Amino acid sequence: MAAGNYLPTAELTASGRPVLYPGEIESSLLSSVDLLSEENPNFPHLKSGLLILTNHRLLWLPNSTPASSPTPVHIPLSAVSHIFSLKKSIKSVFSTPRIRFQVSVTSEGRVDEKGLRSIVITLVLRGKSDPEAFLGKFWEALKVRAWEEIKVGASGAEAGSSSGPRSGEGSLALRVPVVGVAGILRKEQEMWESTDKSLQDAFQDLNALMSKAKEMVMLAEKMRLKLLAGSNNQATGAAEDELGTKEEMQDWLLSVGIASPVTKESAGALYHQQLSRQLADFVRIPLERAGGTINLIDVYCLFNRARGTELISPDDLLQACSLWEKFDVPVMLRKFDSGVMVIQNKAHSDDEVFARIRSLVTKPDALQSGVSASDAAMTLGVAPAMAKEYLLTAEGKGLLCRDISPDGFRFYINLFQDINSDDVYL
């Protein structure tokens, strides 16, 4: 029986990571987990998958990605009505740990928070794990009920927008807009007051700070999506400086942070595996802007800035990149002959880069004085260090030759391969 008939399907990214809801945070990951219902023989028996507990859902993902693998599914925590305590006995010490909880289902047996009847679902933890620690986090997520806060916030925003502006309450979006200088001054004043209040609330203690940081990440993502929608719907006659400002704002918002960074505490033994998948998703946009290749040092700075307080070490980053060979992800780690390491798209081809270099070195000025790494960097849109690596690689392919002088390396088009050895003087 297909799992999708009984459980909602979970959406995955290109690297196999779950696509999280707004405000959804991962709290625990377990490997080699079976999901089944012992009281319902028709319920699908999902074997040896990855279990991810968030503050909104319980996700089960298959370990392999072939077409024959089970569909990734999830159980909304809003559908969980009760969690059973672990059975402690002498027999349980030598048996595989099992966690049981009760969920609401429809008359067809599909898990749904509005279901009229309930069944018991069992998690069989076959991998190395701490069942009591996971059960504690499960209880805590069910007690906090974070999904209700998101629903209340969304319904409040919809009600506010439909009922019109109200004086003295709500956010800036609910105020009557004032045009001209007065409107700009009032908006600036309200922004300063809001920022000051956020800072005062955030610095009460570390937990409040982390909570506010997550809210800021969610707000930045919403603002970015609005900007993208505005840019797509904008008239063709818009001013270039306004478009440039919007693009800069999008770049800034993209670097604000990752809402749910993978940590050693939440992922445990799966830390580097999940970090590798999250990194593959993160570098997609920076790679597009960098032309398909980006320096590993730049990725380290960007990724750590996005993670906020959950910093990673250079060794963790390198190990995460090296695991891409085992996963079906669209990026790869490349090491040049000089030892410089970069991240690039698998679809990226050096032939296109070599063609641009060839057009650069065949210009009249370049034929006389050659090109430097800085010249190639401006043409290719990459850092000078990476441009030098491309020039050296092109030299190794026989496309260029170089001249070493006190001023540095100068590269020229290689004409030696066009010389006829039978008539050298001609």
Side-chain angles (χ1 to χ4, degrees):
M1 185 65 67
N5 295 337
Y6 290 89
L7 296 168
T9 304
E11 186 179 355
L12 301 182
T13 64
S15 67
R17 291 270 302 160
V19 177
L20 301 180
Y21 296 154
E24 188 174 14
I25 307 295
E26 299 174 29
S27 59
S28 183
L29 290 87
L30 298 177
S31 61
S32 302
V33 177
D34 294 358
L35 189 150
L36 66 150
S37 176
E38 296 174 330
E39 64 182 36
N40 185 2
N42 295 325
F43 196 87
H45 186 172
L46 305 176
K47 298 182 179 180
S48 190
L50 174 65
L51 188 73
I52 303 177
L53 172 66
T54 73
N55 57 348
H56 287 205
R57 298 177 293 172
L58 199 63
L59 298 108
W60 186 93
L61 313 180
N63 281 330
S64 55
T65 55
S68 59
S69 298
T71 305
V73 294
H74 73 271
I75 299 174
L77 295 187
S78 56
V80 179
S81 56
H82 180 69
I83 302 175
F84 297 95
S85 302
L86 290 174
K87 294 182 180 180
K88 295 185 178 180
S89 63
I90 297 178
K91 183 180 179 181
S92 63
V93 175
F94 301 98
S95 61
T96 304
R98 293 172 180 256
I99 295 177
R100 295 175 175 85
F101 57 94
Q102 192 170 331
V103 297
S104 302
V105 295
T106 62
S107 57
E108 293 81 13
R110 184 175 177 82
V111 174
D112 193 301
E113 60 178 312
K114 298 180 181 179
L116 301 178
R117 62 189 186 91
S118 60
I119 62 170
V120 176
I121 291 181
T122 303
L123 301 175
V124 184
L125 313 184
R126 301 190 182 280
K128 294 182 180 180
S129 59
D130 187 350
E132 293 186 357
F134 177 81
L135 193 63
K137 293 180 179 179
F138 197 2
W139 271 110
E140 183 180 357
L142 193 63
K143 181 180 178 182
V144 173
R145 307 186 75 82
W147 61 90
E148 292 183 352
E149 298 178 6
I150 301 298
K151 290 181 180 179
V152 170
S155 60
E158 292 175 1
S161 60
S162 61
S163 60
R166 302 174 184 175
S167 59
E169 67 178 66
S171 61
L172 300 179
L174 301 179
R175 304 290 182 90
V176 178
V178 179
V179 297
V181 178
I184 296 174
L185 292 176
R186 195 185 75 175
K187 184 176 291 186
E188 289 292 332
Q189 180 66 25
E190 289 175 341
M191 288 178 63
W192 279 111
E193 290 176 357
S194 177
T195 302
D196 183 62
K197 187 177 183 302
S198 296
L199 289 175
Q200 289 179 2
D201 294 343
F203 281 99
Q204 293 295 327
D205 54 55
L206 185 59
N207 291 331
L209 175 62
M210 295 301 295
S211 176
K212 290 294 179 183
K214 294 171 184 175
E215 292 177 9
M216 292 301 133
V217 170
M218 293 172 56
L219 178 62
E221 181 64 19
K222 291 179 181 178
M223 292 174 64
R224 183 183 72 84
L225 293 175
K226 287 184 179 180
L227 284 172
L228 287 172
S231 299
N232 293 334
N233 298 330
Q234 196 169 14
T236 56
E240 293 184 0
D241 55 348
E242 185 177 352
L243 287 173
T245 303
K246 285 192 173 185
E247 290 178 357
E248 290 176 2
M249 179 64 80
Q250 292 170 15
D251 294 342
W252 177 76
L253 292 174
L254 279 172
S255 65
V256 167
I258 299 174
S260 180
V262 174
T263 63
K264 292 183 179 179
E265 181 182 0
S266 63
L270 302 173
Y271 171 65
H272 287 102
Q273 180 191 102
Q274 293 301 311
L275 181 68
S276 176
R277 294 181 183 275
Q278 189 173 66
L279 179 62
D281 291 330
F282 173 81
V283 299
R284 181 177 56 85
I285 295 178
L287 277 175
E288 290 177 358
R289 294 192 179 127
T293 304
I294 188 170
N295 195 298
L296 193 61
I297 298 175
D298 295 336
V299 172
Y300 177 75
C301 296
L302 291 172
F303 194 51
N304 264 336
R305 182 173 66 176
R307 288 175 63 88
T309 57
E310 302 292 346
L311 304 180
I312 64 172
S313 66
D315 290 338
D316 287 338
L317 180 72
L318 190 58
Q319 189 168 350
C321 294
S322 62
L323 289 175
W324 285 338
E325 298 178 358
K326 301 179 181 179
F327 304 141
D328 185 19
V329 294
V331 293
M332 59 178 289
L333 179 66
R334 177 181 179 182
K335 187 174 183 179
F336 287 98
D337 295 337
S338 62
V340 174
M341 288 185 288
V342 298
I343 293 175
Q344 71 176 38
N345 286 322
K346 287 184 177 179
H348 178 78
S349 173
D350 286 345
D351 294 337
E352 181 182 352
V353 177
F354 292 157
R356 296 171 66 182
I357 292 176
R358 185 178 182 85
S359 64
L360 174 64
V361 296
T362 52
K363 292 181 179 180
D365 294 341
L367 289 173
Q368 294 182 3
S369 59
V371 297
S372 65
S374 300
D375 299 330
M378 295 177 63
T379 300
L380 300 176
V382 298
M386 195 177 301
K388 182 180 178 181
E389 295 299 328
Y390 278 126
L391 291 172
L392 292 173
T393 304
E395 180 194 20
K397 296 287 185 179
L399 302 177
L400 304 176
C401 56
R402 61 173 152 160
D403 176 51
I404 303 176
S405 67
D407 296 332
F409 288 5
R410 304 292 297 185
F411 291 85
Y412 298 84
I413 186 69
N414 184 14
L415 300 177
F416 292 101
Q417 57 186 358
D418 297 330
I419 296 176
N420 187 355
S421 59
D422 297 333
D423 196 353
V424 176
Y425 299 102
L426 178 62

